[in-house]
Structures are given as C-alpha cells and as structure tokens.
C-alpha cells in the first residue's frame, strides 16, 4: 500500500473558505481527497505537456453559416488525421454547431491541433479536455 504523508499548508482564509464550499458541492468526503485530486490532475497535465501518448477531446462552438470556417476546420482535421479518432457534430440550433473531436496521440501534436482550431477566425469558443490513456495512472 502507498505510504500516506501528512503535511501542513498555509493559505488565505477566504480562498480556503471558497475551496471548502466548492468541495462540499462536489460531495468530496474530505479536504485531503480534494487536494489529492487537484495534485494528481496537475501532474497528469504536466505529463501531457511533456509529450508521450495521451488522449483527450477538443470542443468547438461555431456558426456553420460561415462556410470558409467550416472548410478550414475540415482541412485542419485532415492534416491531423493520424491523431483524430472521431468527430461528433451536434447542430445546437439554427446557427450554432458543437463539434467534439476525440484525439489520441503525441501530446505536443494534440496541443498544436487544439491551438490551430482554437485560433481559427470565427470560432466562438474552444476547450481542450486532457486525460491519460490510463496506462500510467
Ligand atoms: Ni451543425
């Protein structure tokens, strides 16, 4: 079994109050579990940014009436076809589309793809969800 270490943390009172409120809403049983999750998440993110094989999802929200934008997004995804596993397209309303792009591959390539998509003119919002392939965690 993994050895458990106790350690003290100094932090502003109002930050800790907000943190306690947040973890209560998220049903964390203890502060230790919540802090442990935050640390693990941070380690996974750094692991991601170092490179190696990882998985994740890129989300895009945009107006599909901008045809040149749709073409550009398709071109970019074809340029990175080796890391795009699947794309889910949802017609949110008359104008707006949500695209969820599942990716797997080298972390640096995924970050590059995400940045290219995000910076495309006309994208209303883009986010990247990073996770592990599960082999190292
Ligand atoms: Ni659509």
């Amino acid at each position: 079994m993994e050895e458990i270490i106790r350690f003290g943390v100094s932090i502003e009172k109002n930050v800790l109050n907000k943190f306690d409120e947040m973890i209560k809403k998220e049903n964390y049983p203890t502060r230790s579990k919540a802090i442990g999750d935050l640390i693990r998440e941070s380690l996974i993110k750094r692991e991601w940014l170092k490179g190696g094989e990882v998985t994740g999802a890129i989300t895009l929200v945009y107006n599909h009436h901008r045809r040149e934008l749709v073409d550009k997004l398709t071109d970019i995804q074809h340029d990175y076809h080796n890391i795009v596993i699947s794309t889910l397209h949802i017609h949110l309303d008359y104008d707006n589309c949500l695209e969820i792009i599942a990716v797997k591959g080298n972390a640096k390539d995924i970050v590059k793809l995400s940045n290219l998509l995000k910076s495309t003119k006309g994208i209303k919002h883009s986010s990247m969800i990073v996770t592990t392939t599960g082999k190292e965690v």
Side-chain angles (χ1 to χ4, degrees), residues 23 30-37 40:
I23 65 177
T30 62
R31 208 186 256 163
S32 292
K33 163 79 174 140
I35 290 170
D37 278 4
R40 273 186 291 274

Side-chain angles (χ1 to χ4, degrees), residues 62 64 89-93 95-99:
Y62 60 89
H64 75 100
H89 185 104
I90 297 144
H91 312 303
L92 290 175
D93 58 30
D95 298 313
N96 295 296
C97 300
L98 166 66
E99 210 154 289

Side-chain angles (χ1 to χ4, degrees), residues 49-136:
L49 296 173
K50 264 195 321 199
E53 197 189 53
V54 293
T55 70
I58 299 163
T59 66
L60 305 168
V61 173
Y62 60 89
N63 184 326
H64 75 100
H65 295 302
R66 298 186 62 155
R67 291 292 163 199
E68 77 292 348
L69 168 62
V70 178
D71 285 349
K72 183 117 196 265
L73 294 177
T74 305
D75 285 348
I76 294 170
Q77 291 188 61
H78 276 269
D79 288 343
Y80 285 81
H81 66 89
N82 53 325
I83 58 173
V84 173
I85 311 169
S86 180
T87 301
L88 175 64
H89 185 104
I90 297 144
H91 312 303
L92 290 175
D93 58 30
Y94 184 76
D95 298 313
N96 295 296
C97 300
L98 166 66
E99 210 154 289
I100 303 169
I101 305 162
V103 288
K104 183 181 174 198
N106 180 279
K108 287 187 173 147
D109 291 338
I110 292 172
V111 171
K112 236 187 266 172
L113 170 61
S114 175
N115 287 339
L116 270 175
L117 292 167
K118 183 169 67 179
S119 61
T120 302
K121 207 175 162 202
I123 292 290
K124 291 185 175 181
H125 184 246
S126 173
S127 67
M128 187 176 75
I129 294 151
V130 300
T131 187
T132 168
T133 57
K135 291 173 192 159
E136 306 291 328

